[in-house]
Amino acid sequence: MKNLFKNLVIIILIFLAVSAIFSFFSEKNQKPEKITLSELANRINQEKIDKISVNGQEVSVKLKDGTNAVNQKETEAGLIESLKNLDADTGKLQSVPIEIVSTSTLKYLLISLLPYLIPLLIMGLFLWLMFRQARQGATQAFGFTRSLVRMLTPQDKKQKTTFKDVAGLKEAKEELQEVVEFLKFPAKFKAVGARIPKGVILIGPPGTGKTLLARAVSGEANVPFFHISGSEFVELFVGVGASRVRDTFAQAKKSAPAILFIDELDAIGRHRGAGLGGGHDEREQTLNQILVEMDGFEPDTQVIILAATNRPDILDPALLRPGRFDRRVVLDLPDIGDRVEILKIHSEGKPIEKKVDFRQIAERTPGFSGADLSNLMNEAAILTAKKNLAKMSMEELIPSIEKVLLGPERKSLVFSEKEKKIAAYHEAAHALVNTSLPNTDVVRKISIISRGRAAGYTLKLPTEDKHLRTKTEFVEELAVLLAGYTVEKIVFNELTTGASNDLEQATKLAQRLVMRYGMSEKMGARTFGEQEEMIFLGKEIVTEKDYSDKVAAQIDEEVSKFIETAQKTAHEILTAKRPLLDKLANRLLEKETIEKEEFEKIIKEEE
Ligand code: ADP
Ligand code: MG
Ligand code: ZN
């Protein structure tokens, strides 16, 4: 609307400008001098006239000096008589050619109206253009129903992905090999009456290669790959999501055999109950439409739907019924061997020194996803270029681990001496409590260089991939988390905001111990509260409390107890090892960063 108004103003301005120009020209050139008939007779006598043309009542006179003049003769009487009456010399009058022009009234009207018509026409043209544009905009808005599906054809060699591009994920690949077989040789399966899978859902944390694997399946089977993300389905306009689904499925069916990949399937089922007005109705319709389309497939439709999610718990159970997404493929974070493979895949095309040992990098990156590792290789390449080196070495790779883990260093963030001292003690305390407890991860680095949102950091990494965690580990971790908070009280007898993130993490961890893991003696072996906030179709639940208020009070008490105990542990260690704490903090103030080797040396010296 604002745009329309703006356009209107512009058009009016243009209109005014055009008419100004027109009137200017018509004043100057088209308006000849007006003369009376007697004047004309006079000039004839003076032999100044070149030519006269009569057009109805208008007499146009061309003078010998090149100028023009007009006369509107009032009478119907003939021009020659009138001139003679006004004493024009007959001989001289005869020597002047008189031309009678007969213009039709229409033409006459047109000519006299043209100066006014042209600006009007121009304005009309502008209005027409403007409305056409507005209409186009409108059809674009309604064109939302056309799906946003992107397609990769097997001919797209450059973008082709195969299983070779996916490291690790052995079980997932095996499972999906079946889908590939079906797309390639459907007859084989039909011959033995096997029911063809319709939907396969890929489940795994972000960055584990779900999208990559889905593309690899289409690459292996050599079929078109339709890709749409769940969040794109969800539209503001009611009904659009559903028609988009219809469209997407229609497109895929047209080019069967094909793969239709719905990324972030959970986006359609999310935020139920938390949405503002009508939002979840729309999602429900979209989801229903997906179900309808999947059920509507003829048994021999060769379209297989792959979907990806990292929140299988919030998916509607209706989606997972037989005939829909009845196959689940779970993708885990890569283990150390897979990490080496992923690093190798992503080192392709990057010049790398022979000495580089990917195993070492993999050892230092437990918990990294494939996406993190790919990111790590990219950061290292950027660093190599920044240093103007020809080849990447460990010197570039190792700092990149931290960059991916913690965000870039913020060296420009200036801290006062006092703040630096607090940060130094804070991080030294984390590290000291950590090494003093037997079941914790190894400290890799301590730093008071600001990174991401943290003022400083203590980098700890497990030595191996962990799948199960013990209560002892958690309890020790709590003490490590609270060390920063505790040390501020011990050393500065004051509290700062610097520990707030630690406290948040500690509280959440303690709550999990009590409510999820049954690790509190008093509360016993049960869980408290619904794990997740919602289920999609049918029920609407937001964190259901399945315990009484009395129990809630007990839970709080137990959580507090875990925290208090942890704080006591930290306090004991920090007061008992005060000289070591001071030494570490001072070294940090001096150097800002202490690496693993130096840290271990300082600890050993003291003991
Ligand atoms: P997801 O869809 O599970 O969030 P993606 O498939 O988008 O993850 O993965 C992001 C990127 O991480 C991929 O493009 C790829 O470069 C890299 N990656 C992830 N897993 C692997 C893997 N197993 N092998 C090779 N590269 C991987
Ligand atoms: Mg993805
Ligand atoms: Zn801290």
Side-chain angles (χ1 to χ4, degrees), residues 355-402:
K355 280 186 298 198
V356 165
D357 179 7
F358 283 133
R359 180 104 198 154
Q360 249 191 66
I361 306 290
E363 274 167 13
R364 288 176 182 232
T365 48
F368 270 46
S369 69
D372 291 333
L373 292 168
S374 138
N375 198 358
L376 159 68
M377 287 306 294
N378 191 46
E379 288 294 346
I382 290 171
L383 195 57
T384 311
K386 262 196 198 159
K387 289 186 180 172
N388 288 322
L389 299 173
K391 283 183 174 175
M392 184 192 296
S393 70
M394 291 301 261
E395 253 97 275
E396 285 77 53
L397 281 161
I398 288 175
S400 301
I401 299 177
E402 278 157 44

Side-chain angles (χ1 to χ4, degrees), residues 426-427 430 502:
H426 183 112
E427 298 309 329
H430 279 312
D502 293 340

Side-chain angles (χ1 to χ4, degrees), residues 359-466:
R359 180 104 198 154
Q360 249 191 66
I361 306 290
E363 274 167 13
R364 288 176 182 232
T365 48
F368 270 46
S369 69
D372 291 333
L373 292 168
S374 138
N375 198 358
L376 159 68
M377 287 306 294
N378 191 46
E379 288 294 346
I382 290 171
L383 195 57
T384 311
K386 262 196 198 159
K387 289 186 180 172
N388 288 322
L389 299 173
K391 283 183 174 175
M392 184 192 296
S393 70
M394 291 301 261
E395 253 97 275
E396 285 77 53
L397 281 161
I398 288 175
S400 301
I401 299 177
E402 278 157 44
K403 193 159 178 196
V404 171
L405 209 58
L406 303 159
E409 288 185 350
R410 285 174 29 198
K411 284 193 170 144
S412 59
L413 203 65
V414 183
F415 286 96
S416 69
E417 280 309 308
K418 170 94 181 162
E419 283 173 326
K420 263 193 182 163
K421 199 170 168 197
I422 295 174
Y425 270 96
H426 183 112
E427 298 309 329
H430 279 312
L432 185 54
V433 172
N434 190 77
T435 38
S436 306
L437 295 169
N439 299 296
T440 50
D441 297 337
V442 175
V443 172
R444 297 266 179 192
K445 189 173 182 172
I446 323 167
S447 174
I448 54 167
I449 293 171
S450 172
R451 205 149 198 169
R453 280 170 57 217
Y457 58 93
T458 300
L459 186 62
K460 311 171 285 167
L461 286 173
T463 35
E464 60 205 4
D465 296 310
K466 280 185 188 160

Side-chain angles (χ1 to χ4, degrees), residues 229-359:
S229 142
S231 50
E232 288 167 344
F233 270 133
V234 180
E235 269 308 328
L236 226 55
F237 304 113
V238 173
V240 173
S243 55
R244 207 177 255 181
V245 172
R246 221 173 296 133
D247 226 65
T248 306
F249 276 77
Q251 274 191 45
K253 270 189 240 176
K254 238 186 274 166
S255 33
I259 290 211
L260 172 56
F261 178 53
I262 306 176
D263 210 346
E264 302 163 40
L265 186 64
D266 47 285
I268 305 172
R270 249 200 192 153
H271 300 312
R272 187 177 157 102
L276 293 172
H280 78 245
D281 276 348
E282 172 57 13
R283 274 184 204 95
E284 217 164 304
Q285 280 182 25
T286 307
L287 183 64
N288 279 337
Q289 192 62 38
I290 291 182
L291 298 178
V292 166
E293 292 290 341
M294 287 185 83
D295 290 343
F297 273 13
E298 286 93 56
D300 53 350
T301 311
Q302 284 183 58
V303 176
I304 291 186
I305 301 149
L306 298 183
T309 182
N310 47 20
R311 304 280 312 271
D313 47 300
I314 64 164
L315 284 183
D316 190 300
L319 270 173
L320 307 174
R321 276 213 288 271
R324 293 168 180 170
F325 293 105
D326 47 3
R327 298 218 175 179
R328 294 166 159 237
V329 173
V330 178
L331 284 74
D332 284 318
L333 285 173
D335 64 15
I336 184 161
D338 295 342
R339 288 201 293 276
V340 174
E341 292 307 309
I342 295 174
L343 285 168
K344 275 186 190 153
I345 284 180
H346 289 281
S347 68
E348 251 160 53
K350 299 185 175 81
I352 301 229
E353 270 189 10
K354 280 215 182 72
K355 280 186 298 198
V356 165
D357 179 7
F358 283 133
R359 180 104 198 154

Side-chain angles (χ1 to χ4, degrees), residues 404-554:
V404 171
L405 209 58
L406 303 159
E409 288 185 350
R410 285 174 29 198
K411 284 193 170 144
S412 59
L413 203 65
V414 183
F415 286 96
S416 69
E417 280 309 308
K418 170 94 181 162
E419 283 173 326
K420 263 193 182 163
K421 199 170 168 197
I422 295 174
Y425 270 96
H426 183 112
E427 298 309 329
H430 279 312
L432 185 54
V433 172
N434 190 77
T435 38
S436 306
L437 295 169
N439 299 296
T440 50
D441 297 337
V442 175
V443 172
R444 297 266 179 192
K445 189 173 182 172
I446 323 167
S447 174
I448 54 167
I449 293 171
S450 172
R451 205 149 198 169
R453 280 170 57 217
Y457 58 93
T458 300
L459 186 62
K460 311 171 285 167
L461 286 173
T463 35
E464 60 205 4
D465 296 310
K466 280 185 188 160
H467 303 290
L468 290 177
R469 307 280 314 265
T470 63
K471 181 176 168 183
T472 319
E473 279 171 7
F474 283 134
V475 168
E476 291 184 1
E477 196 179 321
L478 272 176
V480 175
L481 278 170
L482 288 164
Y485 175 85
T486 313
V487 86
E488 288 186 13
K489 266 195 178 163
I490 296 174
V491 179
F492 303 97
N493 199 20
E494 173 71 292
L495 291 172
T496 71
T497 51
S500 76
N501 187 266
D502 293 340
L503 299 186
E504 216 176 292
Q505 279 188 46
T507 311
K508 284 213 181 103
L509 179 56
Q511 277 168 349
R512 264 185 287 143
L513 297 190
V514 179
M515 297 173 72
R516 294 262 77 78
Y517 307 146
M519 286 179 180
S520 138
E521 298 283 341
K522 192 167 161 206
M523 303 312 292
R526 63 159 291 191
T527 63
F528 297 92
E530 277 285 320
Q531 166 104 30
E532 288 302 337
E533 61 266 52
M534 58 226 151
I535 306 240
F536 184 55
L537 272 182
K539 282 179 282 177
E540 183 164 344
I541 305 158
V542 183
T543 337
E544 200 182 23
K545 220 173 99 183
D546 58 357
Y547 46 86
S548 68
D549 288 347
K550 198 178 122 223
V551 172
Q554 287 172 344

Side-chain angles (χ1 to χ4, degrees), residues 57-72:
Q57 242 144 285
E58 192 179 88
V59 181
S60 312
V61 182
K62 200 169 172 209
L63 284 102
K64 279 187 177 151
D65 62 4
T67 56
N68 291 307
V70 284
N71 169 267
Q72 298 286 338

